[in-house]
Amino acid sequence: MNCRSFALAALLIACAGVAAAGDVTGKISFSGNAPKPARIMMNADPVCVKQHKTPVVGEEVVVNTNGTLKNVLVYVKEGLGSRKFDPPAGKLEFEQKGCQYTPHVLGIQVGQELEIVNGDPTLHNVHSLSKENAQFNVAQPKQGMKLTKKFDKPEVFKVKCEVHTWMGAYIGVFGHPYFAVTSDDGSFKLKNLPAGDYTIEAWHEKYGTQTMKVKVAAGGAATADFKFEGK
Amino acid sequence: MESVGCLACHSIGEQTKVRDLRGSSYDMAPELTRVGSKVTPDWMFEWVRNPRHYNPTTKMPNLRLTEGEARDVTAYLSTMKDGRTQVEKNLELSSPVTIRRGEGLIREYGCSGCHLIPGMEKEGRVSVSLSNFGRKRVEEMDFGDTKVPHSWHDWVSNKLKNSRVFQTDRIVQKMPVFAFNDDEIARIRLFLLSQTKDQPDTRYIQAFDLKQQQIETGRKIAYQYNCRQCHQLENEGRYISAIIDDPAFLPPIITGEGKKVQEPWLRDFLKNPSAAGSPNTIRPWLKTRMPTFSLTDAEISALTKYFLGLSNQELEVRDYRAFQPDPVLLPVGKSIFTDFQCIKCHPAGNAAPKPGEATTSDLAPNLTKARDRLKPEWIVEWLADPNKLQEGTRMPTFFPDGQSPLPEVLGGDARKQMTAIRDYVMSIGQPARTQMSAR
Ligand SMILES: [Cu+2]
């Protein structure tokens, strides 16, 4: 809709309201007991062992020093209606380095390019366990090999390496750009959401999902803090 | 019990996941919840070691349990008892009157219709013929005192739901109550509707040529031995997946077996599947095992033709020992094999991995057996797109979109590189079969 084509002031205000956008910010706090990080034994592949000077631990549950949870995928679940979003032009990178995936949890938009890189001088394969998108299972026997993938349908799925069983990561595909992954401070920001009512979901690989309803007012901002609890 | 695969066919208590996935109201094998109250440990031990020894026509295959395994299984099953104590009943077993009454009841209920009872072998049919049942008129059907609508479909549906439903004070009904589910009732009803003496229009009669007849014969055997309980075959089956969490431990999809394995290997394997230490063992560390069905040569031949037919191959047994690797491609194949690090997953020996090294699900088949097992042309097809042939396989493709990651080898020709790998794989290990045995 072209706002300038309306002469009436009242309609102008309404149009401005739709266009005005706000950020949804929040943090993911964690309480209770987190499982002790499991030590990863890479003995099956000496090349992997050689790349680490210190013991490697699993990333299933990472609690930050400020008591927040890392690797939580936060996104708009409902509220965008039938809006369509073009994928951004830039590629995202997903690397196999030191026989681990970086990042461990990744969000990407439908149609956006993902570059999967083998940074190790050993054989890795990337096996997607996707349900909505076509599965793929591609070997990268040489260091520096690259593979570019795009996804058509929104879903969160696991990716694993069949050579190194400890290697696992999650990819969340979304039909819009309003998603984020928490890092070392456990906070997130969903930028420039059009004014409206939304359901925000936070997903964690071990603790599952939580949802929250937020209202983004015209030009305003909203907060969505989640609490995950260990058993 | 869980590791060798008993639960694929037998259910215990509330554990009915396989049955539910199969969508049937019954299991292929008896439920074992109270088997300890039914049979003695001695009998059970003999039975699980070799079911055919006791009953030559039983459908239960031989799991090749070792004596120790059989003892463990027996010990476990012996604990499966119900709490009821056997009440001593005052049975007049020697009274001629009781014996005669019992015999009368057995005849009346037609037990000999299904059971083999000495002296009643020639009893004949115990119930009505169904050969023209599809044409049975509503006026000939007895609806008893029910309010069931007077139609063929309603009568049949209600009869199958509860076989005694039309019983009245005067008319006793003896058909057993089968507890079919709705889906089964619909299938049986359709079958019964087809039971007529009418000559179908020739357009609806499928004429099988010899090849189709042979495929059909094998297909029937595959149904009879219930291959689908564990394997996926022609897009059906793999019901065992309800109780196996790790897809790497699932029995393979065998629809394309005719294209994949050499006929002599298939024959040996069906005769003696994965016997410990036998040359047929592909994944020696796996506990879940393909049972021995004691198939006859005729059955094996029919199954072989069935698999060949499913893969559109000639229905003939070929000899693969004449295969010669291309001397130019062979060393290239070996170097690609090294570059691709195939050995990381495909072990060369039979040993299970050492603790901390890798878990058993991480191992791929031992390639020293490939030359006597795999069809050379299949290996190339497999390398091109493993997931297309075995959906969900852990084997990755090294040639995504038909492109080779090694542009400098053989001019970057992916097909040639696959052929080179194939030639190398076919040269690993020593041939196990030096002579084609007569069949
Ligand atoms: Cu890997």
Side-chain angles (χ1 to χ4, degrees):
Chain A
M1 178 156 60
N2 186 344
C3 289
R4 275 170 299 184
S5 63
F6 292 94
L8 287 171
L11 273 174
L12 266 170
I13 292 161
C15 285
V18 172
D23 298 345
V24 174
T25 53
K27 73 173 180 157
I28 315 289
S29 52
F30 182 84
S31 60
N33 296 321
K36 209 171 144 245
R39 172 96 187 266
I40 296 174
M41 303 302 283
M42 297 188 175
N43 302 14
D45 191 342
V47 180
C48 301
V49 177
K50 220 189 272 174
Q51 298 194 63
H52 297 275
K53 292 189 179 69
T54 50
V56 186
V57 291
E59 296 174 279
E60 193 189 16
V61 178
V62 181
V63 179
N64 296 316
T65 43
N66 65 353
T68 56
L69 197 55
K70 193 180 170 175
N71 291 328
V72 177
L73 191 52
V74 188
Y75 45 88
V76 170
K77 193 186 184 195
E78 276 163 32
L80 289 162
S82 56
R83 287 186 183 86
K84 293 268 178 290
F85 300 91
D86 290 332
K91 282 182 184 177
L92 286 183
E93 191 173 288
F94 183 58
E95 198 186 16
Q96 299 146 95
K97 186 77 191 149
C99 299
Q100 284 185 295
Y101 289 111
T102 324
H104 180 65
V105 177
L106 176 145
I108 192 168
Q109 212 174 312
V110 166
Q112 190 176 5
E113 285 188 282
L114 180 70
E115 187 164 73
I116 304 170
V117 185
N118 182 2
D120 289 329
T122 188
L123 166 70
H124 288 300
N125 73 307
V126 225
H127 192 174
S128 78
L129 303 180
S130 44
K131 294 213 165 67
E132 302 294 329
N133 294 281
Q135 288 200 358
F136 60 91
N137 182 2
V138 181
Q140 297 189 313
K142 301 212 143 171
Q143 187 166 26
M145 282 184 69
K146 289 180 177 147
L147 170 75
T148 305
K149 283 281 167 194
K150 283 193 225 172
F151 308 100
D152 327 319
K153 305 231 172 63
E155 69 169 317
V156 179
F157 60 88
K158 191 177 180 178
V159 166
K160 63 171 183 163
C161 174
E162 304 291 2
V163 187
H164 312 105
T165 30
W166 61 83
M167 291 178 68
Y170 293 87
I171 294 179
V173 184
F174 303 97
H176 55 72
Y178 308 108
F179 55 84
V181 180
T182 60
S183 73
D184 297 338
D185 65 355
S187 70
F188 69 90
K189 183 185 260 184
L190 307 177
K191 276 188 232 158
N192 294 326
L193 264 167
D197 293 309
Y198 296 100
T199 304
I200 309 290
E201 187 161 74
W203 171 98
H204 184 267
E205 64 178 286
K206 183 174 170 71
Y207 299 117
T209 56
Q210 289 185 17
T211 55
M212 194 179 285
K213 291 209 187 310
V214 298
K215 190 179 195 70
V216 177
T223 314
D225 290 331
F226 291 88
K227 283 190 176 74
F228 279 89
E229 203 189 321
K231 301 272 160 340
Chain B
M1 286 279 297
E2 281 173 18
S3 62
V4 303
C6 305
L7 301 179
C9 296
H10 295 280
S11 66
I12 293 177
E14 302 297 299
Q15 220 289 40
T16 57
K17 286 188 211 159
V18 177
R19 182 202 299 170
D20 298 342
L21 183 61
R22 199 164 171 266
S24 56
S25 62
Y26 56 94
D27 288 310
M28 298 308 291
E31 192 201 294
L32 298 177
T33 316
R34 292 174 294 273
V35 70
S37 300
K38 184 184 174 189
V39 300
T40 66
D42 281 350
W43 186 90
M44 192 140 42
F45 177 82
E46 296 297 334
W47 171 260
V48 297
R49 283 219 72 187
N50 185 4
R52 297 267 158 88
H53 182 72
Y54 178 80
N55 178 358
T57 58
T58 180
K59 280 197 170 177
M60 163 125 165
N62 188 334
L63 272 298
R64 303 183 303 279
L65 298 178
T66 62
E67 210 176 299
E69 285 172 332
R71 209 176 298 125
D72 295 346
V73 167
T74 306
Y76 170 66
L77 289 178
S78 301
T79 66
M80 318 280 303
K81 290 184 178 174
D82 56 13
R84 284 177 292 183
T85 42
Q86 295 286 333
V87 183
E88 277 297 319
K89 295 184 185 71
N90 187 17
L91 300 172
E92 302 164 56
L93 293 183
S94 49
S95 149
V97 182
T98 318
I99 291 173
R100 222 176 302 117
R101 256 206 328 256
E103 190 186 334
L105 277 170
I106 285 174
R107 281 186 202 281
E108 195 187 326
Y109 277 92
C111 302
S112 65
C114 300
H115 295 278
L116 192 63
I117 303 172
M120 295 192 191
E121 295 90 344
K122 296 202 170 71
E123 275 300 283
R125 205 187 285 127
V126 299
S127 190
V128 294
S129 159
L130 295 175
S131 54
N132 202 30
F133 190 79
R135 283 272 171 265
K136 190 159 178 147
R137 296 199 315 269
V138 178
E139 301 81 72
E140 298 167 343
M141 293 173 150
D142 183 1
F143 287 81
D145 301 332
T146 63
K147 292 203 166 61
V148 171
H150 283 214
S151 81
W152 187 97
H153 273 72
D154 287 303
W155 190 90
V156 174
S157 302
N158 282 278
K159 178 81 178 172
L160 290 170
K161 190 126 207 130
N162 172 9
S163 58
R164 308 281 166 88
V165 68
F166 302 121
Q167 182 156 301
T168 61
D169 293 343
R170 267 182 321 111
I171 300 161
V172 182
Q173 296 190 317
K174 295 164 203 151
M175 174 163 145
V177 179
F178 287 103
F180 296 119
N181 66 29
D182 291 345
D183 181 48
E184 287 160 349
I185 289 175
R187 286 161 188 248
I188 297 171
R189 199 176 55 204
L190 185 64
F191 169 75
L192 289 172
L193 198 54
S194 79
Q195 294 302 294
T196 70
K197 290 190 170 143
D198 306 357
Q199 260 323 317
D201 189 303
T202 46
R203 282 176 304 166
Y204 301 114
I205 301 176
Q206 188 176 12
F208 282 158
D209 61 20
L210 180 65
K211 185 173 175 176
Q212 286 167 320
Q213 282 173 31
Q214 288 177 316
I215 295 172
E216 207 48 44
T217 308
R219 182 176 278 135
K220 279 198 184 116
I221 294 171
Y223 269 115
Q224 196 183 322
Y225 284 98
N226 201 22
C227 306
R228 286 167 178 79
Q229 195 74 15
C230 297
H231 296 282
Q232 188 181 312
L233 180 54
E234 298 193 69
N235 295 319
E236 277 184 327
R238 244 191 189 179
Y239 307 119
I240 195 177
S241 64
I243 52 166
I244 295 184
D245 293 332
D246 188 340
F249 284 127
L250 279 178
I253 301 169
I254 54 172
T255 313
E257 201 70 359
K259 181 157 65 172
K260 178 180 182 181
V261 301
Q262 303 176 6
E263 299 82 25
W265 180 89
L266 183 61
R267 184 203 55 212
D268 290 356
F269 180 77
L270 289 174
K271 273 233 169 283
N272 192 12
S274 301
S278 89
N280 295 327
T281 318
I282 313 151
R283 294 180 178 82
W285 52 87
L286 270 190
K287 282 226 160 56
T288 312
R289 55 196 74 176
M290 163 89 175
T292 303
F293 287 92
S294 306
L295 300 167
T296 64
D297 288 346
E299 287 171 327
I300 289 177
S301 164
L303 282 172
T304 305
K305 285 177 182 154
Y306 164 58
F307 283 122
L308 287 171
L310 284 186
S311 293
N312 288 317
Q313 305 239 328
E314 290 300 318
L315 305 191
E316 61 184 20
V317 174
R318 283 189 284 157
D319 186 352
Y320 298 84
R321 285 166 303 142
F323 177 85
Q324 285 296 330
D326 182 311
V328 178
L329 289 181
L330 182 65
V332 184
K334 184 172 183 181
S335 96
I336 303 175
F337 193 86
T338 312
D339 269 358
F340 282 179
Q341 303 169 53
C342 306
I343 205 86
K344 277 232 155 83
C345 299
H346 291 280
N350 273 350
K354 292 187 197 84
E357 255 187 4
T359 59
T360 46
S361 63
D362 300 315
L363 293 175
N366 186 331
L367 291 180
T368 58
K369 323 279 191 214
R371 66 184 302 156
D372 287 313
R373 174 170 175 251
L374 301 176
K375 294 193 174 178
E377 60 274 17
W378 180 89
I379 300 179
V380 175
E381 218 182 302
W382 172 251
L383 288 167
D385 191 353
N387 197 60
K388 193 174 149 200
L389 299 184
Q390 190 71 236
E391 205 189 334
T393 180
R394 309 182 77 188
M395 165 88 174
T397 174
F398 286 75
F399 303 92
D401 305 317
Q403 296 302 306
S404 166
L406 307 171
E408 69 287 2
V409 179
L410 294 171
D413 186 332
R415 202 78 192 170
K416 261 196 192 145
Q417 293 180 6
M418 293 175 212
T419 311
I421 299 170
R422 184 272 308 273
D423 282 17
Y424 173 64
V425 167
M426 289 294 286
S427 75
I428 310 174
Q430 290 303 308
R433 223 174 279 108
T434 47
Q435 197 191 323
M436 284 264 276
S437 27
R439 67 190 50 85

